[in-house]
Amino acid sequence: MAKDNVPFHSVIFPASLMATGENWTMVNTLDGIDWLQYEGTKFSKSRGTGVFGDQAVETGIPCDIFRCYLLLNRPETSDTNFTWDSLAQTNNNILLNNLGNFVLRALTFCKSSFGSRIEKMTLNAEDEHFIALVNGHLVSYFKNFDERMMSRAFECVFAISKNRKSIPAIQCSMVLTKGSDADKQRAGSVISVANNVAALLSVIISPFMPTMSKVLQEQLNMPEEKNLFTESFVPLLKPGHTIGTPFPLFSKMEEASVTSLKTKFSGQDSSSSAAAPVTDVESLQREIEKQGNKVRDLKSSKASPDVIKSEVAVLIELKKKLPAELQQKPSNGKNKPSAKPQAKAQPKVQNAPKAKVEITPEIAALQKQIEAQGLKVREQKGKGADKSIIDAEVKVLLDLKSKLPLELRHNRQERKEKRNNSSWT
């Protein structure tokens, strides 16, 4: 339930029921969450800003892709932001390259080298260590589920499929199949364990991606009675079981498709907002400065090169809209004298606004959101979360920072530079 509805359903409505004196069922647990925004602004059906349920169907993107992205981006501790770029990153990096890659390799190799048959699994110390890591992620999965932290629970799924030991073990097994009988048995054991991990994944993704769960279980030829949640890893596919036909679960979202979707769901006032900066030069310059700060923040936080590239492209397009006489020309040494008057004017621009800064309740709340999101980013980095997940959280943080008044952003940057300089003294 969104945070604006929590007071009514947790206080006002229960109090009204109690006042009747009748024996009504009362709420005892309420899961409150923050807001999801669309590309840095509010969803609005009246203005056509954002994508809604009926429109999501028209995009041709499977509903489970939306479910995955929205659950990973669930605003559990602060407001989050829906963007088509981060949706594409989730699809391409987390689903296609992580979960989809692991499952396809395991099933394809089982089919090509072992006739689609699960072999006898004889575990060695390396296998037992791998299974212990899987069990550790399962513990976190159920713990976060119980605490209704769905985003963190979902992340545990991808931690299992991206285990550093899983893909190298499968690749090593491809070599072992060409060796001795003992090597072939070892390869069969590794691949059969990998297929059983795929079976486990098909179960634990079912609350989040029910359609993909069924598709994967069909590829595994997994009986319905095996669709069981277990507290630790249990081989659901026994030796002699025959899997079905494997095929890719996910497909890549191309950049052209993302650009088209951005345009389609930008809202009714998208054309007027695009034309306005051309006549309002000051507004355009503010937008350029805002976008420039965003690019610098992305670079300093070592964000994904693809994310930085897309934001730089936005900055370049904004600069192109400036009148020709205001567009900055590359310096060749001859233009240096003309830059001096601008340097003299800079102190006035920087000092004047500082006296006007007023910390309103809205700004104070935004600063708290920035602090909370910053802690979330550090937490994700500390526990070694997937880079694409960290990039998505960093993007949310940068979007929040961009909403601060320019003067406060400058102050934050100055404090950061002072800290960096003091560390060298």
Side-chain angles (χ1 to χ4, degrees):
M1 178 178 293
K3 56 187 176 183
D4 55 331
N5 291 321
V6 169
F8 175 81
H9 288 280
S10 62
V11 179
I12 299 172
F13 186 57
S16 302
L17 294 177
M18 294 171 66
T20 66
E22 298 184 24
N23 186 26
W24 297 103
T25 299
M26 306 296 288
V27 62
N28 51 38
T29 302
L30 198 151
D31 187 10
I33 58 173
D34 290 280
W35 288 325
L36 175 71
Q37 295 185 310
Y38 178 81
E39 298 282 0
T41 188
K42 292 181 179 180
F43 279 85
S44 173
K45 265 200 168 182
S46 60
R47 294 195 304 270
T49 304
V51 58
F52 296 87
D54 54 340
Q55 298 166 324
V57 175
E58 299 172 2
T59 64
I61 299 172
C63 62
D64 272 11
I65 306 300
F66 281 109
R67 288 174 63 94
C68 172
Y69 173 69
L70 292 172
L71 283 163
L72 285 176
N73 205 29
R74 189 170 183 257
E76 294 174 341
T77 57
S78 62
D79 292 347
T80 57
N81 197 29
F82 178 105
T83 70
W84 290 106
D85 287 328
S86 56
L87 172 64
Q89 289 174 10
T90 297
N91 178 81
N92 296 343
N93 298 335
I94 298 178
L95 293 177
L96 178 62
N97 295 340
N98 178 347
L99 176 62
N101 182 39
F102 170 78
V103 168
L104 186 62
R105 285 188 184 220
L107 274 66
T108 300
F109 193 46
C110 180
K111 178 184 178 182
S112 62
S113 298
F114 298 99
S116 301
R117 184 172 169 272
I118 300 298
E119 300 292 309
K120 180 181 177 181
M121 289 165 277
T122 304
L123 306 183
N124 61 16
E126 186 177 0
D127 298 328
E128 290 173 354
H129 178 63
F130 169 68
I131 291 173
L133 293 175
V134 171
N135 287 336
H137 292 308
L138 277 177
V139 170
S140 298
Y141 174 88
F142 289 114
K143 178 178 180 292
N144 285 309
F145 235 116
D146 291 340
E147 295 174 356
R148 295 174 298 283
M149 302 298 286
M150 301 304 171
S151 175
R152 294 180 184 178
F154 203 8
E155 288 171 6
C156 296
V157 173
F158 303 109
I160 292 174
S161 60
K162 199 180 180 180
N163 190 295
R164 294 179 180 178
K165 295 183 178 293
S166 56
I167 295 298
I170 294 174
Q171 291 173 329
C172 181
S173 299
M174 296 173 68
V175 177
L176 291 176
T177 56
K178 301 176 183 178
S180 64
D181 290 341
D183 288 340
K184 292 177 182 178
Q185 288 177 1
R186 174 62 188 152
S189 180
V190 171
I191 296 303
S192 296
V193 169
N195 275 261
N196 271 284
V197 172
L200 168 67
L201 291 170
S202 77
V203 175
I204 62 177
I205 68 171
S206 60
F208 307 105
M209 306 175 70
T211 302
M212 287 299 171
S213 170
K214 291 180 180 178
V215 171
L216 177 53
Q217 289 180 5
E218 288 173 0
Q219 291 188 30
L220 289 164
N221 195 24
M222 184 171 157
E224 189 172 346
E225 60 268 19
K226 297 288 187 179
N227 189 14
L228 301 172
F229 284 87
T230 55
E231 294 182 355
S232 60
F233 174 75
V234 175
L236 298 172
L237 308 177
K238 303 301 181 183
H241 174 84
T242 302
I243 67 170
T245 303
F247 56 86
L249 292 173
F250 310 101
S251 58
K252 185 178 180 181
M253 282 185 67
E254 300 293 344
E255 186 175 347
S257 174
V258 173
T259 302
S260 174
L261 290 167
K262 281 183 183 179
T263 304
K264 182 176 181 180
F265 297 104
S266 59
Q268 294 176 354
D269 51 49
S270 59
S271 59
S272 59
S273 62
V278 177
T279 56
D280 189 350
V281 176
E282 290 184 2
S283 297
L284 180 57
Q285 288 174 323
R286 284 194 294 269
E287 283 295 315
I288 291 172
E289 183 176 1
K290 176 181 174 181
Q291 186 66 18
N293 289 333
K294 188 174 183 179
V295 169
R296 284 189 287 274
D297 286 340
L298 282 169
K299 290 180 178 178
S300 64
S301 62
K302 298 181 180 179
S304 166
D306 291 336
V307 175
I308 295 175
K309 183 178 179 181
S310 64
E311 296 299 340
V312 169
V314 173
L315 179 60
I316 292 173
E317 288 302 316
L318 286 171
K319 288 183 175 180
K320 287 180 180 178
K321 296 178 183 178
L322 278 172
E325 61 272 17
L326 293 179
Q327 291 187 22
Q328 186 177 357
K329 300 292 195 309
S331 176
N332 56 8
K334 298 179 181 179
N335 296 332
K336 288 182 179 178
S338 63
K340 289 182 179 178
Q342 295 179 357
K344 293 178 181 178
Q346 285 179 359
K348 296 180 181 179
V349 176
Q350 292 177 350
N351 294 335
K354 291 184 179 178
K356 300 179 182 179
V357 177
E358 179 182 356
I359 306 300
T360 63
E362 291 78 10
I363 293 176
L366 180 58
Q367 289 175 323
K368 288 182 179 179
Q369 290 180 20
I370 291 172
E371 183 177 357
Q373 185 65 19
L375 290 173
K376 186 173 182 181
V377 170
R378 287 191 287 276
E379 180 184 348
Q380 295 283 4
K381 290 180 178 179
K383 69 180 183 181
D386 188 275
K387 186 177 184 300
S388 58
I389 295 175
I390 295 175
D391 289 344
E393 297 298 344
V394 168
K395 186 170 178 59
V396 173
L397 178 60
L398 297 176
D399 288 338
L400 288 171
K401 286 182 178 180
S402 69
K403 297 176 184 177
L404 280 173
L406 293 176
E407 298 83 4
L408 290 179
R409 294 209 298 274
H410 289 319
N411 290 342
R412 290 172 68 91
Q413 185 65 26
E414 288 171 4
R415 289 197 297 271
K416 182 176 179 181
E417 290 173 356
K418 287 180 180 178
R419 286 198 301 269
N420 293 337
N421 292 334
S422 64
S423 65
W424 291 94
T425 59

